[in-house]
Amino acid sequence: MASPRLLATAAALLALVPAAAVGQAAGAAAAANAPAPAIPRLASGKPDFSGIWETLSEADYDLEPHAGRRDAPPSPGVVEGRAIPYLPGALARKQANFAARAKEDPRLKCWVLGVPRGVYYRAPFQILQRDADLTLIHQFGNQVRVIHTDGSLHPVDQHQELFLGDSRAKWEGDTLVVDVTDFNEETWLDRAGNYHSEALHVVERWSFVDKDTIAYSATLEDPKVFSKPWTVNVLLHRRRDRDFQLIEDYCYTLEYEQFYPHKDGK
């Protein structure tokens, strides 16, 4: 038989359980009712993504989980479900791309990075926003992209095969949902050779975590390359360095720099 002291201790502990449950419920209710963090907004009330942004993720090195390599730091990956669902024949091409990545990555040719790669490439880009559109200006490669938010639809002619596709957006609450179509097949999705065809369709979602952080996701669908749609998620951080600004990075001009030396007095 338990001692009177043990029974009294057990009774006291049991008496605390309802109070703890009530405390937890009250805490959860307070969190649910807490005001949303203040975020920048346009005069219209829509979230204002204007600013200079950059990811800290390793997504551009390889979207999938990978160990450290000579040309890439290790990363847990940014793909929901970890693996990109390639069709068997497409996977063989991806593997060939990976083997030739030191020469064949379009980035090394200074081509436009495309969508969504330009967003998670490790270089800053600036967003200029109005009610009718957002303009994304990327430091790398003279890439400028317009996202239309004026209710206009994709052009009827969907065979222009653009490097950046055609971007049309709508608002779902405070989330900007962007539908991107009409791509060419010239861009890669990262430095590891992940790729797409001209049939690529991307749906992006942009939303604030706080005033200096954007949660960005992109769902990719391409029936010629992937067996099903799949999604990547990264965070974008506002560049708040003093006097920070974009600097032209037109790397395709580097092979001519001997003819146009820097004016630094040397």
Side-chain angles (χ1 to χ4, degrees):
M1 180 179 294
S3 68
R5 178 177 295 179
L6 182 60
L7 291 173
T9 301
L13 290 173
L14 289 172
L16 291 174
V17 171
V22 170
Q24 291 175 355
N33 295 324
I39 61 174
R41 294 184 183 275
L42 300 173
S44 64
K46 297 299 185 185
D48 183 2
F49 296 108
S50 298
I52 300 178
W53 304 92
E54 186 173 357
T55 186
L56 295 178
S57 75
E58 295 79 23
D60 184 64
Y61 290 100
D62 193 337
L63 294 171
E64 296 180 298
H66 59 276
R69 303 190 291 262
R70 288 187 180 274
D71 61 348
S75 170
V78 297
V79 178
E80 290 185 7
R82 300 175 65 84
I84 297 174
Y86 277 101
L87 295 168
L91 180 59
R93 177 175 168 183
K94 186 271 176 180
Q95 293 168 340
N97 286 348
F98 181 82
R101 66 190 184 280
K103 293 183 178 180
E104 296 302 320
D105 182 356
R107 169 187 63 91
L108 301 175
K109 306 171 187 178
C110 303
W111 290 3
V112 168
L113 294 171
V115 179
R117 187 180 183 183
V119 175
Y120 50 73
Y121 183 74
R122 288 295 295 270
F125 66 95
Q126 186 166 7
I127 298 178
L128 306 175
Q129 185 173 345
R130 306 180 298 181
D131 286 328
D133 53 43
L134 293 81
T135 300
L136 280 58
I137 304 170
H138 294 257
Q139 180 166 281
F140 179 87
N142 194 28
Q143 175 172 314
V144 179
R145 173 188 174 202
V146 176
I147 299 174
H148 301 279
T149 55
D150 58 357
S152 60
L153 304 177
H154 292 295
V156 175
D157 180 5
Q158 285 286 298
H159 303 287
Q160 300 181 71
E161 297 190 4
L162 309 170
F163 271 88
L164 296 170
D166 180 74
S167 298
R168 308 285 163 164
K170 63 180 180 179
W171 292 98
E172 293 183 358
D174 282 346
T175 299
L176 183 67
V177 182
V178 188
D179 191 86
V180 196
T181 62
D182 203 3
F183 291 96
N184 63 33
E185 61 177 12
E186 302 298 331
T187 63
W188 284 8
L189 299 173
D190 59 19
R191 305 185 192 199
N194 288 302
Y195 78 104
H196 61 87
S197 77
E198 79 286 351
L200 178 66
H201 174 211
V202 178
V203 177
E204 302 172 303
R205 300 180 70 88
W206 303 69
S207 60
F208 276 108
V209 176
D210 56 47
K211 65 183 180 64
D212 294 318
T213 312
I214 296 173
Y216 172 84
S217 74
T219 299
L220 290 77
E221 181 179 10
D222 187 335
K224 293 185 177 181
V225 179
F226 312 121
S227 62
K228 61 180 180 180
W230 53 281
T231 301
V232 299
N233 296 284
V234 299
L235 292 178
L236 305 173
H237 302 275
R238 189 186 300 275
R239 292 298 301 263
R240 295 180 290 165
D241 321 48
R242 182 178 179 180
D243 298 327
F244 188 83
Q245 59 184 311
L246 299 187
I247 300 174
E248 295 178 349
D249 186 10
Y250 303 147
C251 63
Y252 49 79
T253 65
L254 294 179
E255 61 181 296
Y256 306 106
E257 65 179 350
Q258 60 179 315
F259 305 108
Y260 302 94
H262 296 289
K263 297 178 181 179
D264 56 4
K266 296 182 180 179

